[in-house]
Amino acid sequence: MRAILPGKPQARLQAVCTVRWEGLRLVVYISGNGIVILSGPTDLVQTLYLEDCSTLVAVDIDETTGKIATASPTNVYVCRPYGKEEGLLKWSLQCVIPRQEQEPENLTLSWGTDEELLIGSTSLRLFQVATQESEVWRRRLPMPVKLAKFSQDASFIASTGPHDRLIKLWRRQSSGADDTRFDFTYLPHPTAVTAIHWRRHNTREQTSDHTLYSICGDRKIRVWAAMDPHGVHGLQIWAEIDMQASIQPRQLSSISQSSDRFAFIVDSQDFSRSTAAAIGRVDKAESQQHHALQHLVEVTKSNPELCIVIDRHGHMSAWGLENVGKKGRKPTDVFNIAHVENFGIAFSGPGSLETSNVQLLPFCREQSAAQLSLLVHHFDGRIEWLECKFEELLDPSPQQERISQRTLWTGHEGSIKKIVRSISGKVVLSRTNENEAVIWRQGHGESDLGLALSSTINSPEHIHRSWLLHNRDFVINLHHQSISLWAARSSSALQVSTCPFDLEGHLVCLVQLPEPSLDSNIIHVAAITTRGKGIVWSLSTPYSSHRKSQVQDPASPSLEQFCTFDLKVQDDLAFMLPVDPAGSASWTSSSLDTFAQDIAISYSTEGKLRTWTAVIDVNRSAMEWLITSSVETGIKNPSLTSASSIRKAALVDASRTGLTIWDMRSGQLEHDIQYNGLDLIGDLDWSLTPDNQSLLAIGFPHKVIILAQMRYDYLSVGPAWAPIREIDTKDSTPHPIGDSVWLGSGNLLIGAGNQLFVYDKTIDSADYMVSDLAVPVHKRGPMNLFDLVTYLNGPLPFFHPQFLSQCILAGKLVQVQRIAVGLHKALRYFSEGDELDSFVSMAPGELIEESQPSLASKGSVSRAAGASANEAEVDYGEVVPLLTEKLTKVSIPQLSSREQIHLVDMIECVSTVDKHQRSMDDNATRYLLFFRHHMIRKSQVPADKAGITFREIAWAYHSGSQDILVDLVSRQFQGRMLWENAKESGMFMWMSDLTALRAQFEVIARNEYTKTDEKNPIDCSLYYLALKKKNILIGLWRMAAWNREQTSTQRLLSNNFQEARWKTAALKNAYALLGKRRFEYAAAFFLLAGNLQDAVNVCLHQMRDLQLAVAVARVYEGDEGLVFRRLLEEKVLPQAALEGNRWLATWAFWMLGRRDMAVRALISPVHTLMDFAEAPTMQARSYLANDPALVVLYKELRGKSLQTLKGASRISPKEEWDFVIQNARLYDRMGCDLLALDLVRNWEFLKQPKEPSTEEDSVPDPRKMLRRRSSLVVDDLTSPKSPTGMRAGMGRPPPQKVFEEPEANSLLDNFGF
């Protein structure tokens, strides 16, 4: 559903027409240089723009062929329909008929039979336009015609000129392409004729009588009928109706009286059909008591024509005409049906004669035949679609409302350039290139999508920026060298004040400033230039800035300069604009700080985003600005930006095809997408749901894509933003979109050409965009846009797989088992349609307890706090098969089908871990759980080739149960582990025992050799040579008699490669193999030559296998080897810094023996810990680089040894504070609110010494830093020195400022709990 403002109709007599064509009611009108075609109040079929003209003056549509004729000052255009049978009805240009020279601008059009088109101006010309236009008749006139209309069967033409008191009646004498002739007579009137109307019949073949209605300046309706069809005059006067005398108001006051009269005719065929439909709506017994319906039945018995006369005050007089055209008219043939009040047409107030004119076009819709539809064309630029029931319209008893408005069509004449919304979003201002501005007011109620025209502004100066105040009463327009204040409380806004100015730079921003007092009637606005210079003006209005209430200040609105300012930015502002208010009102405190609401956002040519707030100091007549957040995006010369009031910013690159979305609070990238080069981004608009979830509308030339905020997903690496709706305007208008804006109700307003479209919040969840998202099955169908966004980004139920995963990472395995048991109990008697408790009867407080050791009694789940004392412990192993079976049969309301499958996988993985729980530590449990989950998902999605991430590798690396993990991983691959399996598990990255590592590597070598039936020694050469077991490889070659390379390879391997000549031979073979792209075999020959560095380089660069490079280096020379350490320092750590991969960085530092740096890498961005000249990539700025599981590993490692304590002591207390708060926000963004609360409630800061040491290599005292005195701290300060390339100041002392641990309440308050 949507509302349409198709454009401002022309104030011309033939600007609107309507016909019923092939069962379809079409309404056509002209606006600017466009033809607007509609099939209902909100059904826009097409807008056809004629680019070679600037305005159109007349339009008419043929009821037989559906062809549309329209005219500009220079040409007449004929458009033909196509695509109706396919359900894609459109019109295209068929031909162009040039107008005669020196013709006046106005002309008239009328369709006849057999595709004849009458064009009237200084002459009457008749064209045949069936295929190509051809003129078949022409008659020069002494004066131009104002109106010329064919009768329904095209036997007559009635024409009249401006101020003409004669109607010239043309009667067809003959027809044909070569011989078309008309003669004419006159129908005299006492004053100028203002309107004519031919009586309509069901078909054009009903030509037994012709009836013409005319209205002239004496306010009388005259009925002309063919009482003597063979007479000379053709039509004779049959009756007159005095419109002035027919309406006599009951009140004699001048306010209730009006001399203006308007009339329309309802043909007898429509009246009879409507009455029959009205009777059919009620049963016979009810119709007997329905007095209005009985009155209508009595009127219809004689099948009369209906003549309705109204005035500007809503008085109506209805007249019936019987036996029209019959000779010997009786006095009773013209009779009064009703005289009523409250007709319900909203006429405009007193104005010029041109703008106060009104045209009325009645018809009966086929879909609702019992109703009368009435198009009211107001010449001030509006078309109303009204509807009423005949029995209510003609009911003589008093009624409050007889007719209702279905829609109102209006708009602009020129193309819309900009749309500005008020802070509340209830009022918008649209502006064209011609400096015409219109203020629109949103309708009341959730179902009212329409916009009502409130006021218009016609500025003599170019409008650079506009700002709406007090929802619609006042508007500020910023011009190039002045600012003006307009009062928009009437239909035409008045300029009440103006103030010139002179500023250095180009104007880029006009913004309303927060006020110190909400009850003041003083408002401050600021204009800012690209040089950072600005002016503040103060506005005095009759209303307070916060409440729209009259204050005791009789002074008229005023505008004066308040102060000037300088933002003092180092670089020029490429652009600055206000933040999208998204329904929030401006506010401020007396102090200026980063907690104040943002009011503007700016970007520089280097891509630096800044958000700004400000405070007014009325006493000093000054203001202060503050940068509340700043982000270096790395995007050069951005073309567009927009920010919301909750510090979300969208930035478009220079090509206008790339879009990035940033969280300004944390400085992290949330979304990065590149659109098709043919679709250039032209507009960005933010909206907020009632629970502060974000929506972004991206405007392209012919479509708008709406992105919704999604939950962070670090396990499946899901997107943080996703498209949920695409609005395509090509079917409605060919004109590109000028601007779009969100209304306060959540509806989207789009301006394209001179038209405005309002799209509601209803979205179909079966749409292809939404169907890929995790939407529950029971929510399929139409959904509210806000409800969908809340589901996609709201808090998760306890049993959601993502919530369970994060609980496991946080060490809450016992609580996860309790949740599974609770879900099992809740589903025991669950059936489709029932409500399911998101907490599954588990107290939220159980989740925010400090994590207990996972070594609970094996196979059982302890009772929840507060559970019944006699409730027996539940065996988790027994629950799992029952629960998984139940989950395969019922649909859980809070989960999508995909999420429910993930839940089953998670429960099975927890069951697997539970079996080995007593023999594994927590880190091994975390690794095994997600490794098993990965293998299950791989079996379900075979195309998924990705292995586990460095997060899982880090868990296993810091586990003390690696021997068990190796055994379990080997069992997963049935003891036949190949390298691709080992790489999938990350085994050679996390195994710390070199002896076990080499033994496992030899297992890989054997399995690679035996993986094929032919047993090719080439497959295992790299592995045996890395193990320095050349003799085994020679023995394998001895058995490979089938291989044509056997003899030469055996001969080569039998030599002593300690000698230089054989080293050279091996190197030559390696380089030859590189040329043949046999990279793995080439790396083996490098090892044969003793060149480990080149072998590692081949694995890393040619094979792009970091794990293989690490495994070969570790197996060949151990963890202390120079090549392995160089690989970590020169390749792994720079890669981690470039990608922002903290998991990889902490692993590499720990491998290098720099455990202090490994701890710091968990908190600080990796590139800040190294001399790294290259700028981090977008990936490093992504939110994915800030995994909340990092805080779990940091908490575990920081007190593990003296080195880790040293690293933790180098982290400033503020950094740790920010790290904890940031991770709490990440949990909240993931939908895990309780885990965020658990983190800030149970976090323990390290104790900081009162007098911090200034020595670089000072040893931290665990007794003074750790709160738990029983903690075991390993002395590992004899580890190797820092890697090459590290900063000299890497171990710099902590700041001198001493940080006391905040109270727990302070943490909770900071996060919002």
Side-chain angles (χ1 to χ4, degrees):
M1 180 182 179
R2 66 180 185 184
I4 308 171
L5 295 170
K8 184 178 181 179
Q10 303 281 32
R12 299 180 185 273
L13 291 174
Q14 222 176 340
V16 187
C17 59
T18 178
V19 298
R20 181 174 180 263
W21 172 63
E22 295 188 1
L24 186 66
R25 171 59 59 177
L26 295 175
V27 179
V28 182
Y29 77 89
I30 52 176
S31 175
N33 67 334
I35 307 171
V36 183
I37 307 167
L38 304 106
S39 61
T42 59
D43 301 324
L44 178 63
V45 178
Q46 186 184 7
T47 303
L48 187 63
Y49 288 98
L50 302 173
E51 301 297 340
D52 60 343
C53 66
S54 59
T55 186
L56 298 175
V57 296
V59 69
D60 195 24
I61 182 170
D62 186 5
E63 65 180 350
T64 304
T65 64
K67 290 186 177 182
I68 297 174
T70 186
S72 72
T74 56
N75 295 306
V76 175
Y77 306 88
V78 178
C79 304
R80 61 185 171 197
Y82 65 93
K84 188 175 187 299
E85 294 181 355
E86 294 81 8
L88 299 171
L89 178 60
K90 299 294 176 186
W91 276 259
S92 63
L93 185 64
Q94 174 187 324
C95 62
V96 180
I97 303 173
R99 293 183 55 178
Q100 294 176 315
E101 294 183 2
Q102 298 180 348
E103 277 190 343
E105 181 179 283
N106 290 328
L107 90 170
T108 181
L109 301 169
S110 183
W111 286 96
T113 57
D114 301 326
E115 301 188 47
E116 292 178 332
L117 177 62
L118 177 67
I119 302 174
S121 183
T122 54
S123 62
L124 289 179
R125 295 190 294 164
L126 186 62
F127 285 85
Q128 175 60 244
V129 293
T131 53
Q132 294 181 347
E133 70 280 7
S134 61
E135 186 175 297
V136 297
W137 178 73
R138 175 190 294 209
R139 188 66 174 264
R140 187 78 180 173
L141 300 174
M143 60 182 298
V145 296
K146 177 177 69 174
L147 295 170
K149 291 186 178 181
F150 266 119
S151 62
Q152 188 174 10
D153 62 353
S155 298
F156 289 93
I157 300 174
S159 68
T160 185
H163 314 294
D164 196 346
R165 66 178 189 86
L166 298 174
I167 292 179
K168 189 173 287 187
L169 186 66
W170 305 82
R171 181 163 54 181
R172 189 189 292 263
Q173 299 296 314
S174 62
S175 61
D178 299 327
D179 185 22
T180 299
R181 290 178 297 159
F182 288 85
D183 65 358
F184 66 89
T185 58
Y186 291 105
L187 304 180
H189 292 72
T191 57
V193 178
T194 59
I196 54 178
H197 169 75
W198 285 102
R199 182 185 181 185
R200 312 292 298 175
H201 299 277
N202 289 326
T203 62
R204 283 187 167 178
E205 286 71 25
Q206 292 180 339
T207 57
S208 58
D209 59 343
H210 296 90
T211 303
L212 177 68
Y213 299 88
S214 66
I215 303 175
C216 68
D218 63 352
R219 296 184 178 86
K220 288 185 178 180
I221 300 174
R222 289 173 172 81
V223 184
W224 306 82
M227 292 182 289
D228 183 8
H230 304 289
V232 177
H233 295 288
L235 299 180
Q236 297 82 33
I237 185 73
W238 184 80
E240 290 183 355
I241 298 176
D242 190 339
M243 295 190 295
Q244 188 70 33
S246 62
I247 294 180
Q248 298 295 332
R250 295 183 174 90
Q251 299 178 1
L252 299 179
S253 63
S254 59
I255 299 177
S256 63
Q257 295 187 10
S258 171
S259 59
D260 294 334
R261 297 290 185 268
F262 307 95
F264 61 90
I265 307 296
V266 180
D267 296 316
S268 59
Q269 56 172 357
D270 289 338
F271 187 41
S272 300
R273 188 169 64 248
S274 299
T275 304
I279 296 172
R281 280 205 312 265
V282 296
D283 55 32
K284 187 174 182 181
E286 185 180 350
S287 64
Q288 302 261 338
Q289 302 174 357
H290 201 307
H291 302 293
L293 190 59
Q294 288 297 316
H295 175 67
L296 184 63
V297 171
E298 291 297 324
V299 171
T300 317
K301 285 181 178 179
S302 56
N303 194 25
E305 308 283 324
L306 204 63
C307 177
I308 307 293
V309 181
I310 56 177
D311 68 0
R312 290 188 179 275
H313 296 294
H315 303 109
M316 184 199 80
S317 179
W319 295 82
L321 306 176
E322 293 181 5
N323 305 316
V324 177
K326 299 293 179 66
K327 292 184 178 180
R329 180 179 71 85
K330 298 179 290 185
T332 56
D333 286 344
V334 179
F335 59 95
N336 183 261
I337 299 174
H339 185 94
V340 300
E341 298 180 350
N342 300 322
F343 184 69
I345 296 182
F347 291 98
S348 59
S352 65
L353 184 61
E354 181 178 350
T355 60
S356 62
N357 192 18
V358 172
Q359 268 186 324
L360 304 172
L361 287 80
F363 60 91
C364 291
R365 297 185 71 190
E366 288 68 29
Q367 295 88 341
S368 54
Q371 291 186 339
L372 171 70
S373 297
L374 182 65
L375 295 179
V376 184
H377 176 205
H378 301 267
F379 277 45
D380 60 359
R382 296 175 292 140
I383 296 177
E384 284 186 283
W385 183 310
L386 306 176
E387 285 189 353
C388 66
K389 297 178 180 178
F390 268 110
E391 64 268 28
E392 295 178 357
L393 177 68
L394 303 179
D395 187 1
S397 60
Q399 291 192 24
Q400 289 296 323
E401 188 174 333
R402 299 178 183 271
I403 195 166
S404 60
Q405 185 189 87
R406 286 293 307 276
T407 191
L408 185 143
W409 297 325
T410 183
H412 290 272
E413 290 186 14
S415 296
I416 296 170
K417 178 182 180 182
K418 185 67 179 174
I419 304 176
V420 180
R421 60 169 269 173
S422 65
I423 290 179
S424 67
K426 296 179 180 179
V427 179
V428 294
L429 178 146
S430 54
R431 194 176 74 237
T432 68
N433 291 316
E434 292 77 24
N435 302 316
E436 176 200 21
V438 177
I439 300 172
W440 308 92
R441 183 182 66 257
Q442 190 176 7
H444 300 290
E446 189 69 22
S447 60
D448 191 355
L449 299 178
L451 293 176
L453 191 150
S454 177
S455 185
T456 58
I457 297 175
N458 289 293
S459 173
E461 296 183 71
H462 173 73
I463 301 176
H464 194 63
R465 294 284 186 274
S466 296
W467 192 270
L468 275 166
L469 301 172
H470 293 311
N471 282 342
R472 68 184 174 95
D473 286 345
F474 295 95
V475 177
I476 297 173
N477 286 329
L478 183 66
H479 313 287
H480 287 303
Q481 294 182 336
S482 65
I483 187 171
S484 59
L485 174 64
W486 296 72
R489 287 173 285 187
S490 60
S491 59
S492 182
L494 300 176
Q495 181 175 326
V496 295
S497 183
T498 184
C499 189
F501 64 86
D502 185 18
L503 276 177
E504 179 184 356
H506 178 65
L507 287 168
V508 292
C509 183
L510 176 67
V511 61
Q512 183 178 346
L513 303 175
E515 299 299 331
S517 172
L518 296 178
D519 294 323
S520 171
N521 66 326
I522 303 297
I523 297 172
H524 295 86
V525 294
I528 307 162
T529 70
T530 51
R531 297 295 181 86
K533 312 292 183 181
I535 297 180
V536 179
W537 292 275
S538 66
L539 292 80
S540 174
T541 66
Y543 304 117
S544 68
S545 60
H546 181 58
R547 303 177 183 87
K548 190 176 176 181
S549 56
Q550 194 81 23
V551 298
Q552 299 299 322
D553 185 5
S556 60
S558 63
L559 174 69
E560 61 183 14
Q561 183 172 321
F562 179 74
C563 69
T564 60
F565 60 87
D566 188 349
L567 293 179
K568 297 180 181 179
V569 290
Q570 298 298 324
D571 48 357
D572 282 353
L573 297 176
F575 209 81
M576 188 171 184
L577 70 162
V579 301
D580 275 328
S584 61
S586 297
W587 61 275
T588 187
S589 60
S590 57
S591 60
L592 190 64
D593 51 40
T594 56
F595 295 102
Q597 181 174 328
D598 297 336
I599 62 171
I601 183 173
S602 67
Y603 63 82
S604 66
T605 54
E606 296 300 314
K608 186 171 185 178
L609 284 174
R610 301 183 182 95
T611 56
W612 301 79
T613 190
V615 64
I616 293 287
D617 189 338
V618 179
N619 297 327
R620 294 192 301 116
S621 294
M623 72 169 300
E624 295 182 51
W625 287 87
L626 177 68
I627 298 175
T628 56
S629 61
S630 178
V631 175
E632 292 281 359
T633 65
I635 299 174
K636 306 295 183 183
N637 301 312
S639 57
L640 188 64
T641 190
S642 181
S644 71
S645 55
I646 59 171
R647 294 190 184 169
K648 300 287 183 185
L651 189 67
V652 180
D653 63 11
S655 66
R656 286 187 175 267
T657 58
L659 172 73
T660 54
I661 300 177
W662 301 81
D663 184 342
M664 297 296 294
R665 194 183 305 275
S666 61
Q668 61 190 19
L669 175 67
E670 292 192 342
H671 191 61
D672 184 7
I673 188 171
Q674 197 74 25
Y675 288 102
N676 191 320
L678 300 177
D679 290 330
L680 301 182
I681 301 174
D683 188 31
L684 299 170
D685 293 288
W686 288 96
S687 180
L688 289 180
T689 65
D691 55 348
N692 272 4
Q693 310 293 343
S694 296
L695 285 166
L696 177 64
I698 310 167
F700 297 90
H702 296 283
K703 66 180 179 182
V704 174
I705 295 177
I706 299 176
L707 297 184
Q709 187 174 331
M710 306 281 286
R711 298 184 193 94
Y712 285 168
D713 186 355
Y714 290 92
L715 300 178
S716 302
V717 196
W721 292 80
I724 59 172
R725 187 177 187 182
E726 181 175 322
I727 299 171
D728 196 336
T729 61
K730 283 183 179 179
D731 292 338
S732 301
T733 174
H735 206 287
I737 294 172
D739 199 8
S740 61
V741 73
W742 291 95
L743 300 177
S745 60
N747 301 325
L748 183 65
L749 177 65
I750 298 176
N754 63 341
Q755 298 176 324
L756 290 167
F757 304 90
V758 183
Y759 292 86
D760 67 357
K761 298 193 296 289
T762 303
I763 187 169
D764 187 3
S765 60
D767 184 82
Y768 76 97
M769 284 188 169
V770 184
S771 60
D772 291 337
L773 304 176
V775 179
V777 176
H778 75 286
K779 289 186 178 293
R780 295 293 182 184
M783 293 181 67
N784 185 295
L785 186 64
F786 287 171
D787 294 339
L788 175 62
V789 175
T790 299
Y791 173 78
L792 295 175
N793 197 36
L796 294 171
F798 276 12
F799 46 80
H800 194 283
Q802 171 154 299
F803 188 85
L804 296 178
S805 301
Q806 294 302 321
C807 286
I808 293 167
L809 290 176
K812 299 181 180 296
L813 186 61
V814 173
Q815 286 90 334
V816 169
Q817 293 175 340
R818 290 179 188 170
I819 292 171
V821 171
L823 180 61
H824 167 64
K825 293 178 180 178
L827 292 179
R828 191 177 300 169
Y829 304 107
F830 178 82
S831 59
E832 298 287 344
D834 293 348
E835 292 291 331
L836 186 62
D837 181 15
S838 295
F839 300 107
V840 288
S841 302
M842 183 175 175
E846 295 181 52
L847 273 175
I848 58 177
E849 300 171 355
E850 282 202 74
S851 300
Q852 301 295 327
S854 58
L855 304 177
S857 56
K858 184 179 185 306
S860 63
V861 180
S862 58
R863 293 190 306 268
S868 174
N870 57 5
E871 185 179 337
E873 291 184 342
V874 180
D875 190 339
Y876 182 74
E878 296 177 0
V879 166
V880 169
L882 299 175
L883 179 57
T884 52
E885 182 184 2
K886 187 71 173 178
L887 288 173
T888 58
K889 296 179 179 178
V890 299
S891 297
I892 296 182
Q894 293 94 324
L895 300 181
S896 67
S897 56
R898 188 190 312 166
E899 290 168 342
Q900 196 158 328
I901 294 173
H902 288 183
L903 175 60
V904 174
D905 297 344
M906 186 66 62
I907 292 171
E908 292 178 350
C909 290
V910 173
S911 176
T912 303
V913 170
D914 186 59
K915 297 175 184 176
H916 306 279
Q917 189 174 348
R918 288 187 177 276
S919 55
M920 292 190 304
D921 58 14
D922 285 346
N923 285 337
T925 299
R926 293 182 180 107
Y927 171 84
L928 183 60
L929 182 78
F930 291 103
F931 174 70
R932 285 282 303 153
H933 182 66
H934 162 71
M935 296 305 297
I936 292 175
R937 298 301 305 141
K938 181 185 174 185
S939 66
Q940 296 171 348
V941 188
D944 187 5
K945 300 290 185 182
I948 62 174
T949 66
F950 275 97
R951 176 181 53 245
E952 284 73 48
I953 290 174
W955 297 128
Y957 181 62
H958 291 288
S959 170
S961 313
Q962 291 184 357
D963 52 344
I964 299 175
L965 289 181
V966 171
D967 182 57
L968 292 174
V969 170
S970 299
R971 290 184 190 179
Q972 179 66 43
F973 300 107
Q974 293 80 40
R976 301 284 301 171
M977 186 184 296
L978 302 175
W979 171 250
E980 63 177 349
N981 306 133
K983 180 181 177 181
E984 198 172 354
S985 68
M987 177 181 294
F988 292 94
M989 303 289 284
W990 51 258
M991 288 182 69
S992 56
D993 185 349
L994 282 176
T995 303
L997 181 80
R998 291 188 173 106
Q1000 192 63 37
F1001 203 70
E1002 189 167 0
V1003 173
I1004 299 294
R1006 286 196 302 268
N1007 292 336
E1008 287 288 341
Y1009 174 69
T1010 59
K1011 69 180 179 182
T1012 60
D1013 294 337
E1014 61 185 13
K1015 295 182 175 58
N1016 193 344
I1018 295 176
D1019 295 337
C1020 61
S1021 296
L1022 176 62
Y1023 305 96
Y1024 277 118
L1025 291 175
L1027 289 163
K1028 300 179 182 179
K1029 295 187 177 183
K1030 186 181 71 169
N1031 292 333
I1032 295 178
L1033 188 59
I1034 292 173
L1036 296 177
W1037 272 108
R1038 210 175 276 133
M1039 294 183 289
W1042 56 270
N1043 195 318
R1044 63 181 182 178
E1045 298 178 3
Q1046 180 196 30
T1047 304
S1048 58
T1049 305
Q1050 264 188 295
R1051 189 184 308 117
L1052 179 64
L1053 290 176
S1054 62
N1055 295 298
N1056 182 9
F1057 286 90
Q1058 300 298 323
E1059 298 179 11
R1061 65 174 287 205
W1062 297 114
K1063 282 187 177 182
T1064 303
L1067 289 173
K1068 287 182 178 179
N1069 278 280
Y1071 287 120
L1073 290 167
L1074 282 176
K1076 296 178 180 180
R1077 303 187 67 79
R1078 297 173 66 182
F1079 299 130
E1080 183 178 323
Y1081 205 24
F1085 272 89
F1086 278 124
L1087 290 179
L1088 189 62
N1091 195 336
L1092 174 61
Q1093 184 65 65
D1094 285 341
V1096 168
N1097 288 340
V1098 170
C1099 294
L1100 191 64
H1101 299 299
Q1102 275 72 34
M1103 300 178 67
R1104 300 188 182 280
D1105 193 340
L1106 172 62
Q1107 290 197 40
L1108 184 58
V1110 169
V1112 169
R1114 294 184 71 190
V1115 168
Y1116 193 87
E1117 64 173 4
D1119 291 348
E1120 301 300 325
L1122 293 177
V1123 173
F1124 179 56
R1125 295 180 67 80
R1126 190 180 297 119
L1127 172 65
L1128 296 178
E1129 296 170 6
E1130 298 178 2
K1131 301 297 182 182
V1132 175
L1133 283 173
Q1135 178 183 339
L1138 197 65
E1139 299 174 354
N1141 192 334
R1142 298 185 185 182
W1143 298 103
L1144 179 59
T1146 188
W1147 171 85
F1149 278 128
W1150 199 280
M1151 274 287 189
L1152 287 165
R1154 287 305 307 269
R1155 298 182 177 183
D1156 56 337
M1157 300 297 295
V1159 171
R1160 294 179 62 187
L1162 294 172
I1163 289 185
S1164 304
V1166 183
H1167 68 274
T1168 63
L1169 304 177
M1170 306 167 55
D1171 283 330
F1172 190 67
E1174 192 173 351
T1177 61
M1178 284 291 185
Q1179 184 179 352
R1181 296 183 172 99
S1182 171
Y1183 73 95
L1184 293 171
N1186 300 309
D1187 192 331
L1190 290 166
V1191 77
V1192 179
L1193 186 59
Y1194 170 75
K1195 186 176 182 180
E1196 177 185 330
L1197 295 184
R1198 66 179 180 180
K1200 200 167 190 178
S1201 69
L1202 290 180
Q1203 268 208 67
T1204 59
L1205 272 177
K1206 180 181 176 181
S1209 68
R1210 298 296 185 267
I1211 298 170
S1212 70
K1214 185 180 185 306
E1215 282 183 292
E1216 187 174 356
W1217 168 277
D1218 292 340
F1219 179 62
V1220 173
I1221 297 301
Q1222 169 68 5
N1223 280 279
R1225 290 196 182 103
L1226 293 177
Y1227 274 132
D1228 181 58
R1229 188 71 157 72
M1230 295 172 70
C1232 306
D1233 306 61
L1234 283 174
L1235 293 181
L1237 180 60
D1238 171 67
L1239 177 64
V1240 297
R1241 181 179 185 269
N1242 297 320
W1243 184 260
E1244 290 183 356
F1245 289 91
L1246 290 178
K1247 289 183 178 179
Q1248 296 295 322
K1250 298 296 182 182
E1251 298 179 0
S1253 173
T1254 58
E1255 297 181 11
E1256 177 79 14
D1257 297 324
S1258 60
V1259 180
D1261 187 351
R1263 295 171 299 177
K1264 296 181 179 179
M1265 297 184 66
L1266 295 175
R1267 298 181 180 275
R1268 302 173 191 252
R1269 297 297 179 88
S1270 61
S1271 299
L1272 177 64
V1273 180
V1274 179
D1275 184 359
D1276 58 352
L1277 287 177
T1278 58
S1279 300
K1281 294 183 179 181
S1282 62
T1284 59
M1286 298 295 169
R1287 284 185 182 165
M1290 193 177 292
R1292 55 184 177 273
Q1296 296 296 322
K1297 187 181 294 185
V1298 177
F1299 179 81
E1300 298 291 340
E1301 182 195 358
E1303 296 292 334
N1305 289 338
S1306 175
L1307 269 170
L1308 297 176
D1309 290 344
N1310 185 282
F1311 189 62
F1313 291 105

